Amino acid sequence: MFEKNLNIGYLLDFYGELLPERKRSVMDMYYNEDLSLAEIAAEIGISRQGVRDIIKKSEDELLFYENKLGLAARLKNVEGCASKLREIASLHPLPDELSQKISELLGIVKL
C-alpha cells in the first residue's frame, strides 16, 4: 500500500510553489484534499500508476529541496525555541522591556 507521509505534506507547504503546476496540483489533491490515486487519475485523465509516479517524483523533489535548503527544519527549531521562551516568560517575572521584546519576537513566529 502507498501510505501518506505527513512530513511530505509539511514540505509541500514550504516548497510546493517550486513544483511544476501539474505536480503541485496532483500533490494538493493527494495530500490536502485527501483524494485517492483512482480519484486523481479520473480527474486528470491518467492511470493510477501515472498518478503514483507523479507523487513519488514530487516527494523526491520536495525532499531534495529540504535537504539542500533546510527551511522546514529551521522553522521547527525556531518554533521549539519560541515555545520554550513563552514558557520561561510565563514562569518568571521579567522586566517590562524584555517581556515586550519577547512578545514581539513570538508574534513573528506563529505557534
Side-chain angles (χ1 to χ4, degrees):
M1 182 175 197
F2 192 59
E3 294 190 21
K4 293 182 183 178
N5 179 340
L6 295 180
N7 186 51
I8 297 295
Y10 187 66
L11 296 179
L12 184 59
D13 290 341
F14 274 88
Y15 305 112
E17 292 297 316
L18 298 174
L19 296 173
E21 177 59 36
R22 182 175 172 100
K23 285 182 179 180
R24 185 172 54 246
S25 176
V26 167
M27 294 294 281
D28 183 60
M29 285 187 269
Y30 187 69
Y31 281 97
N32 296 330
E33 296 177 29
D34 202 28
L35 297 180
S36 69
L37 298 179
E39 291 169 321
I40 297 168
E43 177 79 23
I44 64 174
I46 63 173
S47 68
R48 286 179 71 250
Q49 184 62 42
V51 172
R52 188 196 180 291
D53 289 345
I54 290 172
I55 291 170
K56 180 62 179 142
K57 288 176 184 174
S58 299
E59 288 175 346
D60 290 345
E61 210 170 318
L62 293 171
L63 289 168
F64 172 80
Y65 293 140
E66 178 58 15
N67 286 334
K68 293 297 180 186
L69 302 172
L71 297 176
R74 287 180 189 165
L75 180 62
K76 282 183 181 180
N77 185 33
V78 168
E79 287 174 338
C81 291
S83 180
K84 287 177 186 174
L85 268 175
R86 182 174 281 131
E87 182 181 327
I88 290 168
S90 70
L91 296 175
H92 303 287
L94 299 172
D96 288 342
E97 185 178 325
L98 182 57
S99 180
Q100 181 181 0
K101 188 63 176 171
I102 290 172
S103 294
E104 289 171 13
L105 290 171
L106 294 177
I108 294 170
V109 179
K110 308 271 191 271
L111 296 177

